[in-house]
Each structure stands twice: as C-alpha cells, then as structure tokens.
Amino acid sequence: MGESEKLYRVGQLAELTGLTVRTLHHYDEIGLLSPSRRSGAGYRLYGGEDVTRLYEILALRQLGLSLDQISDAIHGETSLEAMLVAHADHVDAQLAAMQKLQIHMATVLATVRRSHRPTDTDLLDLIRKVMTVDARVENYFDADQLAALAVRREELGEDQIRAVENRWPSLIAEVDAAIAAGTDPASDQAGALATEWMGLLEQFHGGDPGLRDGMYRMQEENTEEIQRNFGGPTPEQIDFIRRANDSRS
C-alpha cells in the first residue's frame, strides 16, 4: 500500500457510494469487507483495494446473490460461473412465476372490462393481487425478488397473510415481556418464542436467502421508523431472538 494512497473513513465511503454506515459496519462484522487500515484513534480507513472489493460486492448484489454467496465467490470457495448458472436458473423460475401472475392479471382485467365500470370489489381484488411497492422497498429487492414476493403473496392467500400480520404485535409484546422478566435466551420459553418468530419471518421470505437478506437490511436500515409506525421490533428484541435462536442450533 503506497504512502500516497487515498484513504476513506467509513462516513466518507458511505456518502460517496450512497450506502449507509450501518451497511458498511455490517459488511465488516461478517467479514465481507473489512477496512485495510485503522487510524490511531481506531477509525476504519478504506483504501483502493477496499473500494474495488466493495464494487465487486455491489455488482454481485445486483445479480441477486445473497451475502453468503458473495462471500463464497470473493473468497474463492465457490466459482463465479457456478453461481451465475444457479442464478440463471433462479431467473428462469421467476420468469415462469411472472407469466403465471400475468395470466391472473389478464383474467381480472377481462372481468373488469366485461362489467364496463369496475366495482369496488374488482378494484380491491386487483389491488390485493398485484403487489405494489414504493421506492424504498425497491432499494432492497430486485425485480425478480419483487415478482417472487407477488407470487408468494398469491400462494399464501389473504387469510394467511392477515393471520401473520395480526400475530406480530402480540408476539413482539411477549418477547418484550420475556426480556423485562430477565428470561434466559437459552431457556425453553425463549426457544419457543424464537421458533415462532423465525416461522413468521419465513412466511415472508419462504427460505429464499436473497429475500431474507433484503428483509433484514430493510429492517436494520429503517429501525426507528419501523418502531414508530409499527411498534417494533426493537434492536433489543431482535438481539434476544437471535441469541435464543443461536442457542437452539
């Protein structure tokens, strides 16, 4: 590393790339991108090789690879070719899912057209069937993943989705009560809470690592707003569930 190499502190790198400091810290914590140097005061300092590595990470993220897959590719544990083949298969599956959704939308549209003037029920059904997302959600899920979410919502059905949504507030309250009572994360009670918690999350991501990572990033980077608008979960609750889940493995 040359003496004249430009070094970036984490805040500077975040500002230049449009990432968050939290994301860069997370990449460091999981060993995906650790800064080459530290200042005398202990601040992270990123050099040219780190910037190159960050570009590789973001390029692979754009391909829809999970953080674990990216780590394997970067560290040479899995060939990039093998992952690209796997991703191509995934895209083919998502295209098939999109075609299924397109057929359903065509059926709904034909029904609306036959009635000349759409009824409230028609419009509400269309709203439920077509997954609409705002710009924020699109920052965390690519087009293929959004299509997968739309199909997954269709497969689960509104009753199941509503049941999951209704369960979250009470489950969060139970976890909060367990924390307040000093419950050991390794206890059976905590394990049962963690099992249900992870099960509800899986209703969303269906075991897909890309959807799971996007969901976790969206929660981590919008924690305060999620707490304010939806009542949680708090970092303390997430940490409790993480420790309880780790104790089961």
Side-chain angles (χ1 to χ4, degrees):
M1 180 179 295
E3 292 294 327
S4 61
E5 180 183 17
K6 183 170 180 57
L7 298 174
Y8 304 90
R9 286 177 56 170
V10 65
Q12 294 173 316
L13 189 60
E15 183 177 358
L16 289 169
T17 59
L19 297 171
T20 66
V21 171
R22 184 192 295 268
T23 295
L24 292 173
H25 282 176
H26 179 59
Y27 287 173
D28 186 11
E29 290 166 1
I30 64 176
L32 191 59
L33 175 67
S34 297
S36 298
R37 297 175 60 180
R38 294 267 182 172
S39 69
Y43 293 114
R44 294 172 171 87
L45 296 176
Y46 296 84
E49 291 184 1
D50 301 324
V51 173
T52 299
R53 169 65 61 85
L54 180 57
Y55 174 80
E56 293 172 351
I57 292 169
L58 297 181
L60 292 173
R61 285 294 290 166
Q62 288 297 313
L63 291 175
L65 302 183
S66 70
L67 294 182
D68 287 341
Q69 289 174 317
I70 292 171
S71 178
D72 288 344
I74 287 177
H75 294 104
E77 296 177 17
T78 302
S79 73
L80 179 58
E81 180 184 359
M83 272 184 285
L84 288 173
V85 169
H87 184 239
D89 291 340
H90 174 72
V91 169
D92 288 341
Q94 295 308 313
L95 286 174
M98 280 292 288
Q99 289 174 343
K100 178 181 176 182
L101 181 61
Q102 184 180 39
I103 292 171
H104 179 81
M105 286 189 64
T107 302
V108 174
L109 181 58
T111 301
V112 171
R113 283 174 173 166
R114 282 197 302 270
S115 67
H116 302 295
R117 182 180 183 279
T119 65
D120 291 346
T121 301
D122 290 326
L123 293 177
L124 289 172
D125 185 60
L126 189 58
I127 290 170
R128 286 194 296 267
K129 300 298 183 184
V130 182
M131 182 177 181
T132 58
V133 295
D134 60 21
R136 175 172 299 171
V137 174
E138 291 175 351
N139 289 333
Y140 298 96
F141 303 103
D142 60 29
D144 294 331
Q145 291 169 331
L146 292 176
L149 288 175
V151 174
R152 181 156 184 77
R153 185 179 185 91
E154 173 73 15
E155 292 173 345
L156 287 174
E158 293 303 315
D159 290 342
Q160 180 64 22
I161 292 171
R162 192 173 298 109
V164 171
E165 292 173 344
N166 291 339
R167 176 55 180 146
W168 270 118
S170 55
L171 180 58
I172 288 174
E174 290 174 25
V175 171
D176 204 35
I179 294 172
T183 303
D184 183 355
S187 67
D188 290 340
Q189 178 188 352
L193 291 172
T195 297
E196 184 175 6
W197 185 290
M198 301 307 292
L200 291 182
L201 291 180
E202 189 166 351
Q203 292 287 316
F204 175 87
H205 60 68
D208 183 285
L211 294 178
R212 184 188 61 218
D213 288 347
M215 178 185 65
Y216 286 164
R217 286 191 301 118
M218 185 166 62
Q219 194 283 326
E220 289 172 359
E221 295 175 11
N222 300 277
T223 300
E224 293 183 2
E225 183 172 346
I226 291 174
Q227 286 180 237
R228 183 171 61 252
N229 294 335
F230 303 103
T234 66
E236 292 76 18
Q237 293 161 354
I238 293 174
D239 180 65
F240 178 83
I241 291 297
R242 182 180 293 115
R243 287 186 289 149
N245 196 49
D246 288 344
S247 71
R248 296 184 301 139
S249 58

